[in-house]
Amino acid sequence: QVQLVESGGGLVQAGGSLRLSCAFSGRTFSSYTMGWFRQAPGKEREFVGAISWSDSNTYYADSVKGRFTISRDNAKNTVYLQMNSLKAEDTAVYYCAAQWRGLQLNYYRDSNYDYWGQGTQVTVSS
């Protein structure tokens, strides 16, 4: 069974940076596409970005493109979300998720992911 554990959330001022980590265990990490999603209070969970299992290509929501960067370290079984130029509207609980292999068209919808972490709170003060 896959387990995902996020870390790195916290409180930061607008314009600041945070790096989230997601530790993966239980299966072969390199065979999983990893996604990041977020959910703000009163809103639906939304796609933030993903990194593919096959070539580590990355895909981002328009709202974070140019500010957020996803990377993975297959030797450490960890995926990262580097968040720069944070805005108040980035405040949310951030979740990492794992999808076994998969096609690009499936990266954007949360229902296509098989495993989820518990989430980590990111609060950006304005």
Side-chain angles (χ1 to χ4, degrees):
Q1 184 77 356
V2 170
Q3 289 190 321
L4 302 173
V5 179
E6 300 103 332
S7 60
L11 174 64
V12 64
Q13 288 189 333
S17 298
L18 278 177
R19 188 177 81 155
L20 306 183
S21 300
C22 174
F24 176 106
S25 63
R27 290 289 189 270
T28 303
F29 178 64
S30 58
S31 293
Y32 284 79
T33 286
M34 300 301 296
W36 285 97
F37 290 77
R38 66 186 181 186
Q39 188 167 21
K43 295 188 176 181
E44 292 188 353
R45 187 162 55 190
E46 66 173 357
F47 173 79
V48 173
I51 184 165
S52 72
W53 68 278
S54 57
D55 52 16
S56 294
N57 279 351
T58 52
Y59 307 85
Y60 299 97
D62 288 343
S63 59
V64 306
K65 203 171 292 183
R67 300 188 298 123
F68 290 11
T69 302
I70 298 175
S71 60
R72 65 189 298 158
D73 186 336
N74 287 345
K76 295 183 177 180
N77 291 353
T78 301
V79 62
Y80 303 97
L81 179 65
Q82 177 67 45
M83 305 184 293
N84 298 329
S85 303
L86 282 161
K87 306 175 182 180
E89 50 264 42
D90 294 318
T91 295
V93 177
Y94 283 71
Y95 299 90
C96 70
Q99 176 182 149
W100 188 77
R101 298 198 171 180
L103 301 174
Q104 179 186 340
L105 61 91
N106 291 327
Y107 293 171
Y108 305 92
R109 184 171 293 182
D110 57 2
S111 60
N112 290 323
Y113 287 79
D114 306 303
Y115 303 99
W116 292 83
Q118 81 287 352
T120 186
Q121 176 71 46
V122 172
T123 303
V124 184
S125 62
S126 56

